[in-house]
Amino acid sequence: VSPPMEFEVTSSQNYADLAVLNSYIDKTGLLGVIKNAAKNNDKAIYLGPRRWGKSHFLSMIYYFFAAKEKTRFRELFADKEIAKNKAVLSHANNYVVIVFDLKNVYRKGRLDWTILWEQFIEFLPRDMAEDLGVLNRDSQKTIKYAENFASDMVLGKILNRFVKDYSNKYNFLILIDEYDSPLNKALNEHVGNNDMMFVCQNLLQELKDDFFTYLKDINAGVIVSGVNKIAQASFFSDFNNLRELTGKIDLGFSQKEMKKFYRLSSQEIA
């Protein structure tokens, strides 16, 4: 029996950091599920407990589908399971992928839309950035642009318009990580206070009115991840066909995978 391998460890959730490690357990075969969502402009949600690999999975989706990461395909995917799936490979690096991370959007009792505007600007291709007037995107100017936009414009409305205007040129995929984080933070901040329900209802209404409502008919696939499923009546009421991916995507490690990648015996796994 071969001795257990010495494997590298990292706390990063970025697929590009993880995929090159000798300890990486290959989950790229799951991208086939996302291909269908992207191709059909589905609106889908994936839920899982904390530390379950949701952010890593969205990062994997980004690097595989994003056109701007095309030069890294061989490095990140050539030796992975997904490279055997020709039907999915035709979609590789063929999308404008825009990633929104809501983890730190809730600050001091309010939503900081500047953060989401910064993320939007970061992922725009050159011609769309020029159309928005943010072609020069060094960090300081991006922050200034984002601050101005956050005070004057509704992000969801602009996102919807840009995708519509450029849909004849690009395929779009929108990833939203930790969608429920603002609500969870607001609940923790106001738990036990008389204003808890008022604050949370206003928060949900603002997210819905200024962002999620505009995604219901957007000409793009939308993948949302989080821990808790917020009632559709209060948050996703405009997503009439929000598809559940939770039962189709298993990010946990099976005993078979542990044996294959780490050469551990059943006793050592237990």
Side-chain angles (χ1 to χ4, degrees):
V1 179
S2 301
M5 65 185 289
E6 293 185 7
F7 54 88
E8 302 160 299
V9 177
T10 178
S11 60
S12 174
Q13 300 181 74
N14 189 310
Y15 174 77
D17 296 332
L18 294 166
V20 297
L21 301 181
N22 67 351
S23 56
Y24 184 69
I25 292 183
D26 188 354
K27 291 287 185 177
T28 59
L30 296 171
L31 290 168
V33 177
I34 304 303
K35 182 265 292 185
N36 295 328
K39 179 181 177 181
N40 300 323
N41 289 339
D42 284 351
K43 312 302 183 282
I45 187 169
Y46 177 75
L47 301 174
R50 298 193 184 283
R51 306 297 180 186
W52 193 243
K54 301 182 298 299
S55 295
H56 159 247
F57 186 56
L58 288 191
S59 177
M60 181 200 302
I61 295 170
Y62 167 74
Y63 281 102
F64 183 82
F65 288 96
K68 68 187 298 185
E69 302 296 341
K70 187 172 184 177
T71 58
R72 304 196 67 182
F73 180 85
R74 181 177 294 275
E75 170 196 359
L76 299 178
F77 294 101
D79 62 343
K80 299 295 187 289
E81 183 69 24
I82 196 62
K84 304 173 185 177
N85 191 329
K86 293 183 179 180
V88 181
L89 285 179
S90 64
H91 291 263
N93 305 122
N94 197 33
Y95 291 77
V96 171
V97 182
I98 300 173
V99 184
F100 294 103
D101 183 355
L102 273 62
K103 182 177 182 180
N104 296 312
V105 170
Y106 181 79
R107 295 183 174 184
K108 298 179 180 179
R110 67 179 187 87
L111 294 171
D112 187 348
W113 287 97
T114 299
I115 294 174
L116 294 180
W117 272 105
E118 286 180 45
Q119 294 170 1
F120 177 51
I121 293 169
E122 176 186 353
F123 292 102
L124 290 179
R126 182 180 178 86
D127 51 353
M128 291 177 67
E130 186 172 13
D131 192 356
L132 189 61
V134 295
L135 189 57
N136 189 337
R137 292 178 288 184
D138 65 70
S139 59
Q140 291 302 315
K141 287 190 176 180
T142 295
I143 292 172
K144 193 64 179 176
Y145 291 138
E147 288 174 347
N148 292 338
F149 293 150
S151 64
D152 295 333
M153 295 189 285
V154 174
L155 176 58
K157 186 175 183 179
I158 298 299
L159 174 62
N160 189 298
R161 179 176 73 79
F162 267 68
V163 170
K164 182 179 180 180
D165 289 350
Y166 285 87
S167 60
N168 290 330
K169 184 175 182 179
Y170 299 118
N171 301 310
F172 289 90
L173 181 60
I174 298 169
L175 307 179
I176 304 172
D177 197 15
E178 300 211 33
Y179 88 98
D180 54 343
S181 181
L183 179 63
N184 290 333
K185 288 185 176 181
L187 285 169
N188 290 332
E189 185 178 289
H190 293 272
V191 64
N193 296 347
N194 293 332
D195 66 345
M196 183 178 74
M197 290 304 298
F198 174 78
V199 170
C200 291
Q201 286 174 354
N202 284 345
L203 174 68
L204 288 175
Q205 196 65 47
E206 184 178 351
L207 277 170
K208 180 180 174 182
D209 290 349
D210 290 0
F211 191 60
F212 284 100
T213 291
Y214 293 97
L215 300 183
K216 74 167 184 176
D217 58 356
I218 197 168
N219 193 22
V222 180
I223 309 296
V224 181
S225 82
V227 175
N228 307 301
K229 186 167 185 178
I230 300 172
Q232 283 187 296
S234 64
F235 202 51
F236 287 140
S237 57
D238 291 316
F239 281 75
N240 297 322
N241 298 302
L242 194 65
R243 189 157 69 92
E244 278 272 9
L245 298 177
T246 308
K248 299 179 180 180
I249 297 173
D250 183 6
L251 298 178
F253 300 151
S254 68
Q255 187 176 98
K256 182 179 179 181
E257 288 171 326
M258 296 295 282
K259 284 183 177 180
K260 176 182 177 181
F261 289 98
Y262 295 153
R263 299 197 295 271
L264 298 174
S265 67
S266 297
Q267 291 80 6
E268 287 171 316
I269 293 172

